[in-house]
Amino acid sequence: MVRTITIASGKGGTGKTTIAANLAIALADIGIKVCVLDADIEMANLELILGMENKRITLLDVLADRADIKDAIYIGPKSVLVIPSGISLEKLRNVDPEKLKDAIKKIIDVAEIFIIDAPAGIGKDTLIAISSARECLLVVNPDISSLSDALKTKIIAQRLGSEIIGAVLNRVEETTGKLTAQEVSTILEVPVMGVVPEDKNVRRAGIYGEPLILRYPNSPASVAIKKLARKMAGLPVEEEREKRSVISKLLGGLLRK
Ligand code: ADP
Ligand code: MG
C-alpha cells in the first residue's frame, strides 16, 4: 500500500520544504519510488529547492480545473516524481484547495511513498494538506515557539484522523539553552525520527538551485536526512554513540582502576 505522509510544522521556516525535498531524494536513493507534492500553494518553493522551476503545468492549474494532475507530474532528481505548485500569482486565481485530496487519489499509485509539503499555519490549506495524507511528520526547531506550534499542529492533525509518525528536530546547534531531542519527544509525545543540524550548506545548495543532498552529500544535514530516510523505510540505522561530556569522561577516568 502507498504511504502518504504530510510534512507539517505550524510555524513557518522550520525547514519543511528542505526536509521534504531532500528526504524524497534520500528515499529514492534507497530504491523507493517517491512522489513529492508542493501543497504550499501560496508560498510555493519546493520546485526552487529541487531546481525544477518554470514548469508549464502545475498544481495551481489542477486545482483550478485547467489541467489534469497527471500532466503536472515531472521527473526530478534521482527519478523522484515532483508535483510543483507553481509560483505564478496570476495562476492563483480560481484555485480551489479542496480539490487536492481527489486529485491525489487519481495518481496515488505512481509511488510507494507520497510526500506532501504542507504550508505553515493552521489555515484551510494546511488542514487540507494534512487530511490528504494518512501520516504526518512534524518538523520542529529547538525553540519553544516552534514546539508550541508543532503541538497545536499535532492535535489538529490527530483530530483529522492523521497518524503522527514522529518529529524531525531541524536546525540543531551545539549551544546550550536549546531544546533537546529528548525534551521535544517528551513534550510532543511522539518519537524524534531525526535530528538535523544547522548546516550552512543548506543555504549554499539553495544558491546553486540544487538539492543539498546531491550538491553536498556528506554535509552534516545530508547525513542526518539520509539516516532519517533509512529509519522511515524501516532499515537499520547505525545509532551514534552518545557524546560524553568532559566531566563524565573525567569521572570515568578517575574511577577506572
Ligand atoms: P519551511 O518550508 O518550513 O518554510 P524551508 O525549508 O523553506 O522552511 O527553510 C526555511 C529556511 O531555513 C531556508 O532559508 C533554509 O535554507 C533554511 N534551513 C532549513 N533547514 C536548515 C538547516 N538544517 N540548516 C541551515 N538552514 C536551514
Ligand atoms: Mg515550505
Side-chain angles (χ1 to χ4, degrees), residues 7-243:
I7 316 261
S9 71
K11 193 169 178 249
T14 55
K16 293 177 290 300
T17 306
T18 303
I19 301 290
N22 289 287
L23 177 63
I25 298 173
L27 286 165
D29 224 11
I30 296 173
I32 297 170
K33 268 203 284 179
V34 186
C35 183
V36 58
L37 176 144
D38 190 352
D40 193 354
I41 50 180
E42 286 177 0
M43 293 292 166
N45 64 347
L46 179 75
E47 61 210 80
L48 301 178
I49 289 186
L50 289 168
M52 298 180 66
E53 53 272 28
N54 298 326
K55 297 296 182 206
R56 203 173 60 82
I57 297 173
T58 68
L59 189 65
L60 293 185
D61 297 304
V62 177
L63 301 181
D65 276 337
R66 287 186 295 258
D68 191 276
I69 191 156
K70 285 183 190 131
D71 298 322
I73 308 177
Y74 299 89
I75 299 173
K78 298 272 173 186
S79 301
V80 168
L81 299 175
V82 181
I83 303 176
S85 205
I87 41 186
S88 153
L89 285 177
E90 191 54 37
K91 281 192 172 181
L92 260 174
R93 280 183 305 163
N94 305 325
V95 161
D96 177 7
E98 304 270 4
K99 297 201 165 100
L100 183 66
K101 222 173 173 172
D102 286 339
I104 292 175
K105 264 192 210 143
K106 273 173 84 177
I107 46 140
I108 199 71
D109 51 4
V110 295
E112 291 164 300
I113 296 189
F114 206 109
I115 296 175
I116 299 171
D117 181 23
I122 44 172
K124 193 173 155 203
D125 292 0
T126 304
L127 303 191
I128 290 171
I130 292 174
S131 53
S132 296
R134 215 184 61 78
E135 301 174 39
C136 180
L137 181 66
L138 300 164
V139 177
V140 193
N141 294 151
D143 58 66
I144 288 294
S145 68
S146 162
L147 191 61
S148 116
D149 286 359
L151 191 55
K152 268 188 228 155
T153 307
K154 179 198 144 180
I155 294 166
I156 288 165
Q158 280 174 330
R159 279 191 201 149
L160 292 170
S162 168
E163 181 197 340
I164 314 292
I165 54 170
V168 177
L169 187 55
N170 185 34
R171 309 200 71 162
V172 174
E173 291 171 288
E174 286 200 13
T175 45
T176 51
K178 296 278 185 179
L179 290 163
T180 63
Q182 183 59 54
E183 286 161 341
V184 168
S185 174
T186 306
I187 295 167
L188 289 180
E189 294 180 309
V190 296
V192 170
M193 304 275 290
V195 176
V196 181
E198 174 73 23
D199 186 341
K200 59 183 182 317
N201 290 323
V202 175
R203 210 169 288 259
R204 257 199 227 158
I207 294 168
Y208 288 102
E210 228 184 290
L212 168 86
I213 218 155
L214 297 180
R215 175 114 202 151
Y216 302 109
N218 299 317
S219 75
S222 291
V223 172
I225 293 170
K226 285 184 211 171
K227 203 164 146 182
L228 168 67
R230 288 186 66 82
K231 223 173 193 172
M232 286 182 61
L235 296 172
V237 178
E238 203 182 306
E239 291 296 347
E240 243 176 73
R241 273 196 303 164
E242 205 187 329
K243 278 188 198 149

